[in-house]
């Protein structure tokens, strides 16, 4: 295929126009490059550069253990419940204000084997950030366990106890999954 001289000139003009448009759209710092030559500055050849970063929130949640065994229940003040036990130690690292939330992964406890109620509510697990309490009932809707400003290693100790109902909680091995969420408020 042959092209006419007019078509070739139009292609060259289009190519030059596209390069000019690309050069105009390019940010100035990408188009210009700093150079250094030992011939121009003997013994000193350095170039200054600028490094920028967008501000980001960096958060880390460290949980010391992923399983907690509760004590056998006792009768105290007319309520059958386990004694409080230390749960996981949670450490928070954050370069921004933070909030630690706790909630149940499902509405009911799981029961191993055929014995025991499968309708034991998650709210039968009590939690606190102090062994003396106050203890709150766990819910699927997450509650704030702790919060604070930017920090490098804030420690939050969790404590757990469980309420038992003699009429419905048959002997068995009960388990409940808990969700801990670290977020920026």
């Amino acid at each position: 295929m042959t092209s006419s001289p007019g078509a070739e000139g139009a292609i060259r003009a289009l190519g030059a126009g596209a390069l000019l448009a690309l050069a105009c759209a390019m940010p100035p710092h990408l188009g210009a490059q700093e150079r250094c030559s030992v011939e121009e500055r003997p013994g000193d050849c350095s170039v200054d550069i600028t490094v920028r970063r967008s501000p980001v929130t960096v958060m880390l949640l460290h949980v010391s253990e992923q399983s907690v065994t509760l004590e056998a229940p006792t009768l105290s003040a007319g309520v059958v419940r386990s004694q409080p036990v230390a749960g996981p130690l949670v450490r928070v690292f954050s370069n921004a204000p933070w909030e630690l939330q706790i909630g149940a992964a499902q509405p009911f406890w799981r029961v191993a084997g055929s014995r025991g109620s499968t309708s034991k509510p998650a709210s039968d697990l009590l939690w606190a950030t102090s062994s003396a309490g106050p203890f709150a009932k766990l819910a699927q809707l997450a509650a704030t366990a702790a919060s604070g400003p930017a920090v490098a290693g804030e420690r939050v100790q969790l404590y757990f106890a469980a309420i038992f109902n003699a009429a419905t909680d048959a002997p068995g091995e009960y388990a409940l999954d808990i969700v801990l969420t670290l977020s920026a408020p």
Side-chain angles (χ1 to χ4, degrees):
M1 176 176 177
T2 60
S3 61
S4 68
E8 188 177 305
I11 292 173
R12 272 195 224 129
L14 177 60
L19 285 176
L20 179 61
L22 182 60
C24 290
M26 191 180 311
H29 67 279
L30 292 178
Q33 294 182 355
E34 289 194 41
R35 297 171 195 240
C36 180
S37 169
V38 177
E39 295 164 356
E40 295 171 7
R41 294 184 268 174
D44 180 19
C45 188
S46 62
V47 176
D48 293 334
I49 62 168
T50 302
V51 176
R52 292 185 176 96
R53 74 163 183 90
S54 298
V56 295
T57 300
V58 179
M59 299 180 135
L60 174 68
L61 176 65
H62 179 268
V63 181
S64 65
E65 55 191 297
Q66 293 182 327
S67 180
V68 176
T69 301
L70 298 176
E71 301 283 328
T74 60
L75 180 62
S76 173
V79 176
V80 179
R81 78 175 214 183
S82 65
Q83 292 301 311
V85 297
L89 174 64
V90 177
R91 293 190 65 204
V92 174
F93 299 85
S94 176
N95 67 344
W98 57 273
E99 183 174 85
L100 177 66
Q101 295 186 328
I102 184 170
Q106 64 271 350
F108 300 103
W109 293 65
R110 293 184 315 278
V111 182
S114 60
R115 295 170 34 168
S117 170
T118 59
S119 62
K120 182 173 183 60
S123 60
D124 279 357
L125 182 67
L126 307 174
W127 68 272
T129 56
S130 166
S131 61
F135 282 82
K137 291 184 173 190
L138 189 69
Q140 274 195 286
L141 181 60
T144 299
S147 62
V151 68
E154 177 78 18
R155 295 170 183 259
V156 179
Q157 179 68 58
L158 295 174
Y159 295 88
F160 298 107
I163 298 171
F164 292 93
N165 183 329
T168 58
D169 295 344
E173 198 166 312
Y174 292 79
L176 180 65
D177 295 328
I178 297 169
V179 177
L180 297 173
T181 305
L182 180 62
S183 62

